[in-house]
Amino acid sequence: MKKILVTGGAGFIGSNFVRMVLTEQPDCFIVNLDKLTYAGNLENLTGFLEHKNHKFIKGDICDGELIAKIIDEYKIDAIINFAAESHVDRSISEPKIFIDTNIAGTLTLLEAARDKKLERFIQISTDEVYGELGPDGMFTEQTPLSPNSPYSASKASADHLVRAFGHTWGIKYNITRCSNNYGEYQFPEKMIPLMINNALNDKDLPVYGDGLNVRDWLYVYDHCTAIWQVFEKAPSGEIYNIGGCNEKTNLEVIGLILNRLKKPQSLIKFVKDRLGHDRRYAIDATKIMNELGWKPSVIFEEGIVKTIDWYLQNQEWLQNVVSGDYQKYYESMYENR
Ligand code: NAD
Ligand code: TYD
């Protein structure tokens, strides 16, 4: 039985990963450590909290004593680090917490992995560490890091620390860098669920700038299968880009959402652009496809329909998420745009 410490497993991607592993990998025990920030939600784990191969612990990745205790008590073999502050707009308003969790928190986990001689440390990173692209080209694993937002700068710092711990102390690691994820259980501060939620409530859809920024959308389940392949097969020290080969402008995505929900395009409202807004991301995922045999299972046109339908069928989840603090966040982020 492999014993993995998954951090951030009550968030969007982490909870999808935990549910996938508990469903598909009977020989794996997961300790799920999550601070339950605004983005962490135990409802994302409904039906899995009591699973015999799952132990949820509320705690902070910056708490070194707690991490050491968990590793000893559960005889942890590996850490997969999803925990992070993950939203670019929030990093522009309040960068400090991004430094604390994304950099200092990763450092704390690395020290534990080194001291306890764990078999593997997997860092879930992002394509945003590479900066932005013009109209052509794609990010490869050789693209120099050139992060543009406080969020991506904090993730790039963490990537450098992971590599440095490998070089200096020989810890066994991998870094995965994926493009924008979409799918079930994504918090509606991110573009796709925010637009779905607003459209369902006949509210304006706030499109930053000219709406022609391009993102390379990856269905969250496909991201999770890629991480599992890395965990099972990858040699230590390798970095893998993960992408869905689904480049779309924001307006194309929003148009699809409005059509599916049978809402008018007139809901689109162009608002003030995000500061330093990256124009285009696109991932070259050839390495993980060729070396580990991974490929995405879902094309965007199918994945987006599954996602919209999931939000339609899970309006209670959405209501619980958007009540309370979300309202305050929404007002402060969008009132002056
Ligand atoms: P999310 O914001 O939905 O979830 C983050 C989770 O981490 C939450 O459950 C939160 O409670 C937890 N957390 C935050 N600070 C913590 C701390 N100090 N200690 C313990 N837990 C803490 O994020 P997500 O979209 O699921 O992203 C997961 C990872 O994937 C992140 O590392 C992110 O940088 C990376 N990533 C995300 C995307 C995307 O499109 N969402 C794309 C590329 C990379
Ligand atoms: P987001 O989901 O925040 O992901 P990221 O910035 O990490 O790529 O945003 C995706 C794209 O959607 C990005 O170009 C910004 C844009 N966007 C809007 O136009 N309006 C919004 O309200 C939000 C949240 C994002």
Side-chain angles (χ1 to χ4, degrees):
M1 175 84 69
K2 278 276 170 228
K3 302 195 187 74
I4 310 175
L5 173 58
V6 168
T7 68
F12 165 50
I13 304 172
S15 67
N16 274 282
F17 182 78
V18 168
R19 291 195 311 277
M20 180 193 81
V21 173
L22 293 176
T23 306
E24 299 177 11
Q25 304 295 335
D27 288 333
C28 187
F29 186 89
I30 290 179
V31 178
N32 181 352
L33 176 69
D34 196 298
K35 190 178 169 184
L36 297 180
T37 67
Y38 77 91
N41 182 355
L42 286 180
E43 280 190 54
N44 297 357
L45 295 163
T46 301
F48 291 87
L49 272 176
E50 309 302 330
H51 194 289
K52 66 178 178 22
N53 288 350
H54 181 228
K55 171 73 186 171
F56 179 81
I57 297 173
K58 182 173 187 294
D60 194 326
I61 59 166
C62 299
D63 183 345
E65 269 178 40
L66 174 65
I67 310 291
K69 190 168 155 268
I70 290 172
I71 292 174
D72 287 343
E73 189 174 335
Y74 292 94
K75 301 189 171 41
I76 295 294
D77 301 303
I79 293 177
I80 306 183
N81 181 27
F82 293 88
E85 289 293 331
S86 67
H87 189 39
V88 173
D89 291 322
R90 287 183 192 253
S91 82
I92 295 168
S93 326
E94 279 184 62
K96 173 74 168 62
I97 183 72
F98 287 71
I99 308 308
D100 297 343
T101 287
N102 299 2
I103 306 178
T106 303
L107 173 65
T108 307
L109 294 170
L110 285 166
E111 287 174 330
R114 175 198 62 197
D115 296 347
K116 304 289 181 187
K117 301 185 174 44
L118 297 194
E119 286 171 22
R120 193 57 56 113
F121 185 94
I122 298 184
Q123 175 69 1
I124 308 304
S125 185
T126 166
D127 60 354
E128 301 190 26
V129 299
Y130 296 123
E132 69 176 340
L133 293 163
D136 307 313
M138 291 176 137
F139 298 132
T140 72
E141 290 81 359
Q142 276 72 48
T143 304
L145 303 198
S146 190
N148 286 325
S149 70
Y151 162 67
S152 54
S154 69
K155 294 293 290 184
S157 306
D159 287 11
H160 283 313
L161 280 172
V162 174
R163 191 188 156 279
F165 268 65
H167 185 83
T168 307
W169 287 286
I171 74 157
K172 295 191 170 46
Y173 74 89
N174 297 101
I175 298 171
T176 61
R177 296 187 180 135
C178 69
S179 54
N180 287 63
N181 283 220
Y182 69 101
E184 299 81 3
Y185 298 97
Q186 187 168 31
F187 190 83
E189 65 184 352
K190 303 283 166 49
M191 198 264 274
I192 288 181
L194 185 142
M195 299 301 173
I196 295 173
N197 183 42
N198 282 19
L200 282 172
N201 291 293
D202 298 308
K203 277 175 69 173
D204 287 343
L205 309 194
V207 176
Y208 298 166
D210 61 7
L212 297 180
N213 300 66
V214 173
R215 298 293 184 261
D216 179 357
W217 293 98
L218 173 65
Y219 188 56
V220 63
Y221 178 78
D222 286 334
H223 183 199
C224 294
T225 63
I227 295 166
W228 186 258
Q229 302 270 26
V230 170
F231 176 67
E232 280 213 307
K233 298 189 203 160
S236 174
E238 295 296 325
I239 296 173
Y240 296 93
N241 282 353
I242 307 168
C245 299
N246 284 306
E247 279 188 62
K248 301 271 180 246
T249 65
N250 294 336
L251 280 179
E252 284 174 308
V253 175
I254 292 164
L256 283 169
I257 293 172
L258 287 170
N259 283 342
R260 181 77 189 169
L261 294 175
K262 300 193 171 53
K263 298 285 181 175
Q265 302 287 322
S266 57
L267 282 179
I268 291 174
K269 183 181 171 215
F270 290 95
V271 299
K272 197 165 130 234
D273 208 353
R274 172 187 281 171
L275 291 176
H277 194 175
D278 283 341
R279 192 64 174 167
R280 175 171 166 259
Y281 305 140
I283 278 271
D284 180 344
T286 310
K287 179 176 172 181
I288 190 168
M289 289 178 175
N290 287 351
E291 294 184 10
L292 303 184
W294 171 83
K295 59 177 184 330
S297 67
V298 173
I299 59 161
F300 186 75
E301 286 67 20
E302 283 168 20
I304 192 73
V305 167
K306 279 169 79 158
T307 303
I308 296 167
D309 291 355
W310 184 86
Y311 279 90
L312 277 170
Q313 285 150 19
N314 288 275
Q315 295 205 35
E316 198 181 320
W317 179 90
L318 194 55
Q319 274 319 309
N320 291 345
V321 169
V322 300
S323 57
D325 284 348
Y326 179 81
Q327 293 302 337
K328 275 186 249 150
Y329 164 79
Y330 195 87
E331 280 156 28
S332 70
M333 190 58 76
Y334 292 94
E335 70 184 344
N336 293 320
R337 279 191 186 268

